[in-house]
Amino acid sequence: MPLPIGHALAGIAMRQARPALFFANRWHDALFFVFLANLPDADFLPGIIMGRPSLYHHGIFHSLGAALALAIVGGWIFCLNRKSYWATASGIFLVYYFHLLLDFFAMDFVAPYGLPLFWPFSSRYFIAADPVFINVTRSQHSHDFLASLFSGHNLNAALREILILGGLALAMALLRRRLEKKRRARQEREF
Ligand SMILES: [Zn+2]
């Protein structure tokens, strides 16, 4: 699994494709993208409470079923707030499922290896044969779980994520700016 910083950068990159999808306020919108991009890792919380952080990690929260369920419910909530159901539901699905794809491309040395990408249609766990991201080392006990994340190994993992996903966010931002410039120039020509 990439670290929260990697997932946050992925969320920011995805926001460039459709800014103001969820909220008109750019900060609220960006924060919601970042929240969604990290949401699957909330499956650490019940394990942390029970003393074993990885107990439910990479379970059904990291599955197609969870992404679909969240998209259906989330789209409905946004629809009640006068947003397009399909646009917000598909946005939620894509940002959430992109988290799973990033996890798929990360090294994983803690059982269960990989994640149930297609649950409930398949219970099989999937992991990339050629990972892009370095594994994150972490304690299997709640009392030192947070402290265990601050290690040289994880710093190395974070730097790689910043390079790849920060680069993606930057490329998406530049592309969006260029497209907007073109659109504005076309509009000015038309008037
Ligand atoms: Zn994850």
Side-chain angles (χ1 to χ4, degrees):
M1 56 164 242
L3 286 154
I5 179 77
H7 287 301
L9 286 168
I12 289 167
M14 294 189 84
R15 182 178 177 268
Q16 301 304 321
R18 191 71 194 272
L21 175 60
F22 302 111
F23 297 100
N25 179 296
R26 60 193 282 203
W27 292 107
H28 293 172
D29 197 53
L31 272 175
F32 191 70
F33 268 90
V34 167
F35 166 75
L36 270 182
N38 275 288
L39 190 57
D41 286 341
D43 62 4
F44 272 121
L45 295 177
I48 287 173
I49 292 166
M50 294 170 77
R52 288 172 54 203
S54 299
L55 195 58
Y56 300 105
H57 186 53
H58 280 185
I60 60 166
F61 250 59
H62 281 76
S63 71
L64 180 64
L68 285 172
L70 187 74
I72 290 167
V73 175
W76 178 68
I77 292 169
F78 278 104
C79 186
L80 291 178
N81 288 289
R82 296 164 189 236
K83 287 274 183 184
S84 156
Y85 177 83
W86 291 110
T88 52
S90 54
I92 290 169
F93 176 82
L94 289 173
V95 177
Y96 193 96
Y97 207 71
F98 194 63
H99 174 117
L100 312 190
L101 294 179
L102 294 180
D103 282 4
F104 169 79
F105 281 106
M107 296 173 188
D108 188 359
F109 300 115
V110 179
Y113 310 106
L115 56 162
L117 268 186
F118 301 109
W119 184 89
F121 304 105
S122 164
S123 296
R124 230 183 105 192
Y125 272 64
F126 293 86
I127 187 163
D130 298 304
V132 175
F133 302 104
I134 300 171
N135 66 306
V136 172
T137 55
R138 58 184 191 260
S139 168
Q140 296 304 308
H141 307 283
S142 294
H143 64 92
D144 58 351
F145 177 73
L146 198 62
S148 73
L149 294 176
F150 295 92
S151 66
H153 175 91
N154 290 349
L155 178 65
N156 196 11
L159 289 175
R160 182 184 282 228
E161 292 167 20
I162 290 169
L163 203 68
I164 297 170
L165 296 164
L168 177 70
L170 190 67
M172 291 288 286
L174 291 173
L175 182 70
R176 184 167 71 86
R177 193 179 280 190
R178 205 172 156 174
L179 290 173
E180 260 174 25
K181 227 183 207 175
K182 268 189 182 171
R183 187 177 54 83
R184 244 180 266 140
R186 202 169 50 232
Q187 273 177 347
E188 277 168 18
R189 270 203 308 272
E190 283 168 5
F191 280 111

